[in-house]
């Protein structure tokens, strides 16, 4: 994808990886973002997913409690340095559940957390 996004739109690209093989493809028009659209990866697998995030992502979206998020961010930063990347180049994000309205009964709150 990065080859297609950042290459010459008139030049054909070929790629063969473990799971994907493409021959003589091109992308025209090219994306507006340079050098390519931001790559957002969600997930939290500490052995594989976070390594992929550290190597390729511009943005990571994860979830968990404070301690879990701190641990996973620490791993992303460590893995990124191992790939020669500045961990600060990877934006970290998470989701927050907000309740708007009357106070939710404790039993209902327990079901969604």
């Amino acid at each position: 994808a990065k080859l297609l996004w950042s290459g010459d739109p008139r030049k054909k690209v070929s790629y063969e990886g473990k799971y994907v093989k493409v021959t003589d493809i091109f992308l025209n028009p090219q994306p507006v973002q340079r050098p390519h659209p931001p790559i957002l990866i969600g997930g939290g697998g500490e052995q594989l997913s976070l390594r992929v995030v550290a190597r390729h992502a511009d943005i990571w979206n994860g979830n968990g409690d404070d301690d879990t998020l701190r641990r996973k961010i620490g791993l992303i930063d460590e893995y990124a340095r191992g790939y020669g990347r500045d961990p600060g180049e990877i934006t970290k994000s998470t989701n927050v559940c907000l309740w708007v309205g009357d106070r939710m009964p404790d039993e209902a709150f327990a079901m969604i957390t």
Side-chain angles (χ1 to χ4, degrees), residues 5-105:
W5 290 333
S6 59
D8 181 342
R10 298 165 299 217
K11 184 179 175 187
K12 294 180 181 178
V13 173
S14 296
Y15 174 82
E16 185 170 349
K18 184 174 180 180
Y19 301 104
V20 176
K21 178 180 178 181
V22 294
T23 305
D24 294 337
I25 62 173
F26 65 94
L27 180 66
N28 194 5
Q30 291 281 293
V32 173
Q33 299 95 334
R34 291 288 172 212
H36 53 75
I39 298 171
L40 182 146
I41 299 175
E46 296 182 9
Q47 295 303 311
L48 179 60
S49 297
L50 298 184
R51 290 179 190 273
V52 173
V53 168
R55 189 168 185 186
H56 298 288
D58 299 300
I59 307 164
W60 171 69
N61 184 265
N63 56 40
D65 59 27
D66 290 347
D67 291 336
T68 299
L69 287 170
R70 280 189 190 92
R71 183 180 71 252
K72 291 180 188 262
I73 289 170
L75 286 170
I76 290 170
D77 291 353
E78 176 185 332
Y79 296 152
R81 283 188 287 274
Y83 290 117
R85 289 189 70 193
D86 175 359
E89 294 176 356
I90 304 169
T91 299
K92 286 82 170 181
S93 67
T94 190
N95 303 323
V96 177
C97 183
L98 298 174
W99 181 265
V100 178
D102 294 334
R103 185 175 185 275
M104 181 186 294

